[in-house]
């Protein structure tokens, strides 16, 4: 989720492949250099343009060399409040969009499970470094 000019990471799940790490729970990264941050900017900042029709964002070697990422929005009370991201190695960049259907399905499940929580409650969880 967005916190000023940074992305605040609430949860991180590790896979079996070794990927160059940049984020951690409770950690912050620049909005402009992460897929999650770009997704949030596309819906929040008028200067980014309102054409968010793709409804996903990507990066390639922006935060860490050797890493590519993709993100989809998560809505809360009808507004993009956060984003779900997937990071993999750059050798998967050409096919990363194949994960979009699953990611969008997971995002809808997250929306259903956190819809009643306030954004401040989610920020507190992330800031404390809890999962």
């Amino acid at each position: 989720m967005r916190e000023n000019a940074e992305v605040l990471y609430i949860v991180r799940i590790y896979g079996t492949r070794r990927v160059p790490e940049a984020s951690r729970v409770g950690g912050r990264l620049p909005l402009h250099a992460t897929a999650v941050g770009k997704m949030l900017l596309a819906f929040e900042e008028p200067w980014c343009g309102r054409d968010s029709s793709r409804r996903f964002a990507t990066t390639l070697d922006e935060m860490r060399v050797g890493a590519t990422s993709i993100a989809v929005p998560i809505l809360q009370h009808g507004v993009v409040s956060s984003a779900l991201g997937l990071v993999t190695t750059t050798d998967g960049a050409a096919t990363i969009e194949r994960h979009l259907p699953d990611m969008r399905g997971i995002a809808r499940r997250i929306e259903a499970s956190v819809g009643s929580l306030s954004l401040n409650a989610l920020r507190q969880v992330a800031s404390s470094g809890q999962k």
Side-chain angles (χ1 to χ4, degrees):
M1 70 181 6
R2 182 176 184 166
E3 189 165 88
N4 301 315
E6 298 175 311
V7 173
L8 171 63
Y9 287 86
I10 299 171
V11 175
R12 181 176 167 104
I13 300 171
Y14 296 90
T16 56
R17 288 183 78 183
R18 180 98 172 114
V19 177
E21 266 182 57
S23 65
R24 61 178 172 74
V25 174
R28 291 163 178 78
L29 294 173
L31 283 168
H32 70 279
T34 64
V36 217
K38 290 178 181 184
M39 187 82 273
L40 296 172
L41 282 170
F43 285 93
E44 293 181 8
E45 296 292 341
W47 59 268
C48 287
R50 297 309 264 176
D51 180 18
S52 303
S53 57
R54 286 186 351 157
R55 297 193 66 84
F56 70 92
T58 59
T59 65
L60 178 63
D61 292 330
E62 291 180 50
M63 275 309 302
R64 292 283 187 260
V65 173
T68 186
S69 61
I70 190 165
V72 296
I74 294 176
L75 301 172
Q76 194 171 16
H77 309 292
V79 176
V80 175
S81 62
S82 55
L84 171 68
L86 171 74
V87 180
T88 189
T89 56
T90 54
D91 63 350
T95 59
I96 198 165
E97 290 181 27
R98 70 183 169 94
H99 297 288
L100 282 170
D102 290 333
M103 291 180 69
R104 288 180 173 136
I106 293 166
R108 299 302 76 85
R109 292 176 80 182
I110 292 170
E111 290 169 1
S113 67
V114 299
S116 63
L117 295 175
S118 72
L119 293 178
N120 286 334
L122 291 174
R123 277 190 183 92
Q124 288 176 337
V125 169
S127 294
S128 68
Q130 298 174 355
K131 293 183 183 180

